[in-house]
Amino acid sequence: MKKQSKTTTVYRIDQEKGNYTTISRNILISTELTDSAKTLLQLCLNNTSEWKLVLSHYRKVLHWSNDKMSNAVSNLIEFGYLKKEKLPNGKGKGFTYIYIVSEFGNLNPNHEKISKEEITQSLTSIESSDDEAIIIGHETQIEATVVSTSAMTDLEYNAINEIIVKAIDGHHVTDDYIAKLSDFYIYKFKSGALTISKLNKENEISSIKRSIEKNFNSKMKVIEGWIDFHNNRGTKDQRSNIKQRALRHFNELEFPLDEVIERDVSTKILKLKSSIVDANRVYDSRYQD
């Protein structure tokens, strides 16, 4: 498939014939993540429901040294895209590592770093098929093997509902995002990683709100870039006026910002330019009857 503009020609593989990974644009343009971390995250998000996350396998596939893989993993953990939990299998039966991969970058709100020794241990010792993964992302389905079959209680379901309702209050989020949040907490309760006695609702609500706001601000930066790209003509004052009006429009949308695409921005810019032209004609004698 060929795409061509006046200055650029791009050759693309037809999507129905190629192997693709759908990933948030915010990750690709992130200034927090290193190039290695972005590469590893894309691989983690491109997997089937039978996926087992084995970091040492990816190190071999990418031909990376232990240091390079450790740095990538550390970067993903620090900025909330990867989380590792060690759950006991029972006395004398070792441990199962549960990995959580989030496309939202919301797993470590305080940016706490993990020791390099612990990461290195993951690279050298995790070859077991008992390791499981859960993925949380905009376009990625959650896939997980629950390590416990304990039934959820009404108290736990009510707690999840209360957290989500309060966290999204005042924000526009997609139904898919809400469903993933719900599945995430259900998994945590069923696996035993979270209990009512351990649950701090206010902390959970604050963490989700920060994640939503971070995602909103990141998307607004992307939208601002689209505005600047399509708002490249006219006087400086006209461009400034159009930009401010466009930013205000998208900031006040009554639906999730994640649904906005570049075409929506270019269309809005054209409408704003047209409104300025029409307004100028009212005061231009050449357009008077």
Side-chain angles (χ1 to χ4, degrees):
M1 180 173 60
K2 179 180 178 182
K3 292 185 177 182
Q4 189 167 10
S5 67
K6 292 182 179 180
T7 60
T8 307
T9 301
V10 179
Y11 293 94
R12 298 292 306 274
I13 300 173
D14 291 338
Q15 290 192 14
E16 64 272 16
K17 298 179 182 179
N19 296 319
Y20 284 82
T21 299
T22 302
I23 190 170
S24 168
R25 180 187 176 100
N26 294 339
I27 291 174
L28 298 179
I29 64 174
S30 171
T31 57
E32 297 173 337
L33 296 180
T34 64
D35 291 342
S36 298
K38 292 176 185 178
T39 298
L40 180 58
L41 183 56
Q42 289 178 69
L43 288 175
C44 289
L45 292 170
N46 180 31
N47 286 283
T48 66
S49 58
E50 294 79 25
W51 177 44
K52 310 290 183 181
L53 176 54
V54 182
L55 295 176
S56 56
H57 167 71
Y58 284 128
R59 181 180 62 78
K60 294 175 183 177
V61 169
L62 296 167
H63 302 290
W64 285 356
S65 66
N66 273 343
D67 281 345
K68 185 170 184 179
M69 176 60 86
S70 296
N71 290 336
V73 172
S74 176
N75 188 225
L76 291 177
I77 291 175
E78 180 181 355
F79 291 103
Y81 292 92
L82 179 65
K83 185 175 183 180
K84 183 184 72 170
E85 295 185 353
K86 188 177 181 181
L87 300 180
N89 295 329
K91 188 174 181 180
K93 295 182 179 180
F95 297 89
T96 293
Y97 286 94
I98 302 296
Y99 288 88
I100 303 173
V101 182
S102 173
E103 198 170 1
F104 299 104
N106 59 348
L107 301 177
N108 188 8
N110 296 323
H111 300 311
E112 297 175 356
K113 295 184 179 181
I114 190 172
S115 68
K116 189 171 182 179
E117 291 75 15
E118 188 173 350
I119 296 174
T120 302
Q121 181 185 10
S122 300
L123 300 180
T124 57
S125 65
I126 299 177
E127 301 288 351
S128 168
S129 61
D130 291 334
D131 300 328
E132 307 294 349
I134 177 172
I135 305 174
I136 305 174
H138 293 286
E139 303 293 343
T140 311
Q141 295 297 317
I142 290 179
E143 302 291 354
T145 300
V146 178
V147 299
S148 171
T149 57
S150 60
M152 291 277 293
T153 66
D154 289 340
L155 189 62
E156 290 169 336
Y157 277 117
N158 290 337
I160 293 173
N161 184 64
E162 181 184 350
I163 289 170
I164 294 176
V165 168
K166 290 184 177 181
I168 67 174
D169 183 42
H171 300 282
H172 298 295
V173 298
T174 63
D175 292 339
D176 186 53
Y177 176 77
I178 295 173
K180 286 182 172 67
L181 273 180
S182 178
D183 287 343
F184 171 70
Y185 280 107
I186 289 173
Y187 164 78
K188 295 279 282 185
F189 275 117
K190 284 190 173 183
S191 68
L194 185 63
T195 64
I196 290 295
S197 60
K198 294 179 182 178
L199 181 64
N200 186 319
K201 293 180 183 178
E202 294 304 317
N203 283 352
E204 297 297 327
I205 292 169
S206 297
S207 177
I208 295 171
K209 282 184 174 292
R210 286 195 297 269
S211 175
I212 293 174
E213 290 165 1
K214 179 181 177 181
N215 187 59
F216 179 87
N217 292 333
S218 295
K219 188 58 185 279
M220 280 302 298
K221 288 182 180 179
V222 173
I223 290 175
E224 184 175 3
W226 289 340
I227 291 172
D228 290 336
F229 178 79
H230 293 283
N231 183 33
N232 58 354
R233 294 188 178 182
T235 66
K236 182 178 180 180
D237 287 343
Q238 287 175 334
R239 293 197 307 272
S240 177
N241 177 273
I242 289 174
K243 180 175 181 177
Q244 293 305 314
R245 291 169 65 185
L247 286 172
R248 184 167 60 250
H249 167 78
F250 288 107
N251 191 61
E252 297 173 353
L253 287 179
E254 294 298 321
F255 58 85
L257 208 61
D258 284 332
E259 297 178 5
V260 176
I261 60 177
E262 186 173 1
R263 182 179 297 175
D264 298 328
V265 175
S266 62
T267 300
K268 183 61 181 179
I269 294 298
L270 286 174
K271 289 181 178 179
L272 289 173
K273 288 180 178 179
S274 297
S275 69
I276 290 178
V277 171
D278 291 340
N280 289 338
R281 285 178 176 176
V282 172
Y283 302 101
D284 193 326
S285 59
R286 292 176 298 173
Y287 296 98
Q288 304 303 314
D289 294 333

